[in-house]
Amino acid sequence: MWSRHIEGPIWRDPNRSQLTCLRPARTIRRRYEDADVERLVRAAWWDWPVELVTEHVRTIMTGSPADIEAGRV
């Protein structure tokens, strides 16, 4: 994996819920708890049809992962 801001490799693949920096990549903090990451992956709102995203845009932008998961009924 290559960083788009720093020329050089990131030596390990960060978890999708972590913020990383430096070389090699070091976890700064986690964005979400594991349960919330699983909710977001199950919801997969990025694969929703445009109409469904438009209908739930406020929830996607400001809601919790549980709210987002509930939006995909």
Side-chain angles (χ1 to χ4, degrees), residues 43-64:
W45 65 266
W46 48 89
D47 290 333
W48 293 2
V50 172
E51 297 80 17
L52 192 59
V53 171
T54 302
E55 180 182 341
H56 296 285
V57 70
R58 284 184 191 251
T59 304
I60 292 168
M61 293 178 67
T62 62
S64 70

Side-chain angles (χ1 to χ4, degrees), residues 11-58:
W11 298 108
R12 64 185 176 91
D13 198 12
N15 182 300
R16 63 182 136 213
S17 66
Q18 296 175 339
L19 297 176
T20 59
C21 78
L22 304 174
R23 287 188 294 183
R26 295 184 188 168
T27 300
I28 299 172
R29 69 180 172 91
R30 296 183 55 177
R31 292 181 183 170
Y32 302 103
E33 296 298 321
D34 290 338
D36 288 338
V37 171
E38 290 305 316
R39 283 186 181 103
L40 291 169
V41 169
R42 278 194 305 268
W45 65 266
W46 48 89
D47 290 333
W48 293 2
V50 172
E51 297 80 17
L52 192 59
V53 171
T54 302
E55 180 182 341
H56 296 285
V57 70
R58 284 184 191 251

